[in-house]
Amino acid sequence: KAGVTQTPRYLIKTRGQQVTLSCSPISGHRSVSWYQQTPGQGLQFLFEYFSETQRNKGNFPGRFSGRQFSNSRSEMNVSTLELGDSALYLCASSLGGKEGTEAFFGQGTRLTVV
Amino acid sequence: DQQVKQNSPSLSVQEGRISILNCDYTNSMFDYFLWYKKYPAEGPTFLISISSIKDKNEDGRFTVFLNKSAKHLSLHIVPSQPGDSAVYFCAASPYYGGATNKLIFGTGTLLAVQP
């Protein structure tokens, strides 16, 4: 069974630009969550999508947005990039219920803003 | 406000001995806890989980203990192997009156298992 796939693996963008990251969850998983990992803040929850609806949102500015498609694939968008947005962005998929809520992570997308 | 805390940034253990990683939390609304292992530049790998209605869960060499009254959980690895060397994250999932897969992560503990 294929794992969680994130594309691209690496990205370099300039301040002010926007970026879109993609995540394909494990087949059959309906929940997709996004996390940001930085050395200073650790792993921080961005948002969760379930059946194409945002089910939860973390404390990030509105420049961070996402969506989920009918096949459960998800995209995350960051507009007006800032230097502080440089981070490892991780996507996690899970079945969606409470029991068996274990989230399985992709390899991440390393975003560098210059 | 750090709701999930791992107070030991690092831990060094001899191969074959027990590794005990600790985690404390402050939010009594957490009802599901998980441990993840992470290598640099990779996504976390799920290890083991426990529901708040239990106090122990075992899976092979890994056992997680939950003490709700103390708001404390621990991960025991027995016996420890050099391949276990990685950063270990404790994570908690809050109950919002419905299902959610939002995870709050601790800051991680770097485990080094010496051969």
Side-chain angles (χ1 to χ4, degrees), chain A residues 9 31 33 35 37 43 45 48 55-57 88 90 94 96-108 110, chain B residues 31-32 34 36 38 41-46 49 51 53 89 93-96 98-106:
Chain A
R9 288 292 311 278
S31 168
S33 299
Y35 293 82
Q37 186 183 25
L43 272 156
F45 173 80
E48 178 200 2
R55 186 157 74 170
N56 247 301
K57 190 176 188 306
L88 180 66
L90 292 158
S94 53
K98 196 62 180 183
E99 285 300 317
T101 193
E102 295 80 9
F104 297 88
F105 284 81
Q107 298 262 52
R110 170 68 64 185
Chain B
D31 68 340
Y32 209 78
L34 308 91
Y36 285 85
K38 189 178 185 300
E42 290 187 11
T45 301
F46 169 73
S49 62
S51 166
I53 62 173
F89 289 94
S93 179
Y95 176 73
Y96 287 138
T100 176
N101 295 114
K102 172 181 180 178
L103 296 176
I104 310 294
F105 281 87

Side-chain angles (χ1 to χ4, degrees), chain B residues 82-94:
Chain B
D84 295 330
S85 298
V87 177
Y88 287 77
F89 289 94
C90 164
S93 179

